[in-house]
Amino acid sequence: MPGEVPADTPPPAVHGDFSSAERRAVYRAIHERRDIRSHFVPDPIPDAVLGRLLDAAHHAPSVGFMQPWDFIVIRQESIRRAVHECFLEANLEAARAYCGEQRALYDSLKLAGILDAPVNLCITCDRARSLGAGLGRHSDPATDLYSTACAVQNLWLAARAESLGVGWVSILDFDRLRAVLEIPESIVPVAYLCVGYVSEFPAKPQLETAGWEHREKLGQLIHFDRWGCQDKQRNAALLAATGEV
Amino acid sequence: MPGEVPADTPPPAVHGDFSSAERRAVYRAIHERRDIRSHFVPDPIPDAVLGRLLDAAHHAPSVGFMQPWDFIVIRQESIRRAVHECFLEANLEAARAYCGEQRALYDSLKLAGILDAPVNLCITCDRARSLGAGLGRHSDPATDLYSTACAVQNLWLAARAESLGVGWVSILDFDRLRAVLEIPESIVPVAYLCVGYVSEFPAKPQLETAGWEHREKLGQLIHFDRWGCQDKQRNAALLAATGEV
């Protein structure tokens, strides 16, 4: 059966192994997570569920245990309308990069569910947070932003497990967004998310189904020991279980 | 121990609610994931397991379906030794930021398992990748880096479910790292990870146990509708289920 672990190399038993059912559930969340734009339903999100999502985000890894994130929970419709304006303006601008068929396809895509989703979340990064005392940030100052993106992904996977869809809106006039949400200068809005229950979780990413882009072969992206050292045989050994080879 | 595998089976249906056991498993991965530095054991990672981890990373969200990541799988000892040098140099430099007790504490921390972990992974971001045709990157050019960080987090959670520890080494001389791994100019090394089986998954983050930093109260980080609008009562409703309130 595809995907079985070779029986001859058992890992050491440690306390806290996941059962195979638990492991499958984790992979299920990873593989069935979708970037949701057009399938939101208006049902409210219970506070306890939203709290679990935020708690999941707060348990992301962070450089030096800096925990640089904040969470703005946006439910008020007037605010969501103002953010929607930030999207419309930026989207008009972004659309200009495309022409002909590609422009028609771009215009047909629904790229944000700001007004449809009952909860919007802005996840920010405080570049000046003193927690962690700078540990791990000396070599690459962007690591706090990466930590914040990891928090987004934790929340996204938890949301999938809660049957909640999440869409990351990256097309926004961020200066206007800062003004709308009154975000101080030193704080970077990393992700603006729309969160809500959905009518369905599509089987594939919207941009794949719409013909905007295909999923790259994973084997194309794997290098061994040094950049550019690619190896079909070694790929085959790695990827036999994933169904790609 | 790892049995049959999940990853390649297609989603059962689009309804796809998670059972409560599945949901618990996802939260378990999120809450029991650790940044591992000092508990690696040398047992090799089976190819099929490593393949599933890379496949999990490859299923991260990406701006415009850009999939900007590549994965350098580093097993060769001479390369790991050279990377370890990049760490030692950068760590010496980083340590200078601390003095007195804090310096003594810093020096006592083990911050990288480059030589202990059987596999190192460098996850990179190709800023110039043409996949996705720039969709979603007009407003914030950093979104491709955020996508790559999401891929790291997918891999990290999958690793936890496979009983594999992951440590993110951010203290590195990145110029030297580029030279060692022959990474081209246009490619950004986002994460350097040590991956391997472990003797234990500590109950708390190492930096918390060592007294370097505490976990912030989640309630301190939640704002309602606008930055700075904090509300203890609404926090209580959100966080009752998390045990914080």
Side-chain angles (χ1 to χ4, degrees), chain A residues 7-19:
Chain A
D8 54 326
T9 44
V14 289
H15 290 297
D17 280 343
F18 278 48
S19 71

Side-chain angles (χ1 to χ4, degrees), chain A residues 3 14 17 23 27 58 67 70-71 73 98 132-133 153-154 162-163 181 212-213 216 221 223 225 227, chain B residues 2 5 17 27 58 67 70-71 73 75 98 132-133 153-154 162-163 181 198 212-213 216 221 223 225 227:
Chain A
V14 289
D17 280 343
R23 200 157 42 244
Y27 281 115
H58 186 46
Q67 310 159 76
D70 278 85
F71 308 96
V73 176
Y98 308 103
Q153 187 61 5
N154 262 11
E162 300 273 9
S163 298
L181 300 180
W212 184 268
E213 196 49 85
E216 183 58 286
L221 308 173
H223 311 243
D225 290 310
W227 182 274
Chain B
V5 180
D17 281 342
Y27 281 115
H58 187 46
Q67 307 159 77
D70 279 85
F71 308 96
V73 176
R75 287 195 179 102
Y98 309 103
Q153 187 60 6
N154 262 11
E162 300 274 10
S163 299
L181 301 180
V198 296
W212 184 266
E213 195 49 86
E216 183 58 286
L221 308 172
H223 312 244
D225 289 311
W227 183 273

Side-chain angles (χ1 to χ4, degrees), chain B residues 24-85:
Chain B
R24 271 198 304 276
V26 173
Y27 281 115
R28 192 183 159 202
I30 287 169
H31 288 276
E32 296 185 16
R33 180 206 54 76
R34 286 289 166 267
D35 199 330
I36 299 290
R37 314 282 165 161
S38 49
H39 296 90
F40 287 112
V41 296
D43 305 60
I45 303 174
D47 276 336
V49 176
L50 185 58
R52 289 198 293 271
L53 298 192
L54 297 174
D55 192 52
H58 187 46
H59 281 77
S62 64
V63 59
F65 208 23
M66 182 190 185
Q67 307 159 77
W69 40 71
D70 279 85
F71 308 96
I72 312 177
V73 176
I74 303 148
R75 287 195 179 102
Q76 207 175 292
E77 199 181 321
S78 61
I79 306 268
R80 288 190 287 133
R81 286 206 178 278
V83 174
H84 188 60
E85 293 295 318

